[in-house]
Amino acid sequence: FEVQTQAVVANFVGEAAVPLPNLEDRLKAAQADAESGGPNDPGRMEDTHFLGSYQWDACRKYAKLAGVYDDATENFIATNKAIYDHSGKRRKGLFPGGPDTYREDLYVRQDEKQNFDVQ
């Protein structure tokens, strides 16, 4: 949510690379979004704020709105995605109530390589 915050602040202080639309247009877009049911088709209201794999493009969009998108930001987002994908695979197929050893994984980021090590 850091890039979302940067986008909001950039708009408040008038430094946004891409300023937000006027209030009326934003309210219309919010209403359409609320009625869409989320990113999955057919959408469910419960999914409106669960972005799943859509979150990476959303982060890029917010970073661009804030004017902070660059190679370092892309590396950061790509590394986040790599860690998210890895931890998701580690959780899948585990016996419910069984050992959740994936929680002990320690990720050491290598943003410049868009990768990580697990310790």
Side-chain angles (χ1 to χ4, degrees):
F1 295 103
E2 182 178 338
V3 289
Q4 272 183 305
T5 304
Q6 288 175 319
V8 169
V9 169
N11 269 277
F12 278 145
V13 299
E15 296 177 359
V18 181
L20 291 175
N22 66 47
L23 178 60
E24 183 179 339
D25 290 344
R26 291 194 317 264
L27 290 172
K28 286 179 185 175
Q31 185 67 37
D33 186 46
E35 293 171 354
S36 73
N40 301 318
D41 187 29
R44 302 178 319 145
M45 181 55 95
E46 295 85 0
D47 293 332
T48 300
H49 290 287
F50 175 73
L51 294 176
S53 63
Y54 296 95
Q55 66 186 300
W56 316 116
D57 286 336
C59 286
R60 289 178 183 95
K61 177 177 105 176
Y62 294 132
K64 289 173 184 175
L65 285 171
V68 297
Y69 185 80
D70 58 14
D71 289 341
T73 303
E74 177 57 35
N75 290 343
F76 182 80
I77 293 169
T79 303
N80 284 351
K81 180 184 183 310
I83 292 170
Y84 176 89
D85 291 344
H86 180 267
S87 64
K89 288 177 187 171
R90 293 265 293 131
R91 289 191 305 268
K92 289 194 181 12
L94 293 179
F95 181 74
D100 55 358
T101 56
Y102 70 90
R103 292 178 185 256
E104 298 170 11
D105 289 350
L106 174 64
Y107 292 94
V108 179
R109 302 176 62 92
Q110 298 175 9
D111 288 353
E112 66 285 347
K113 295 180 182 177
Q114 298 184 357
N115 208 340
F116 59 90
D117 288 321
V118 180
Q119 297 180 351

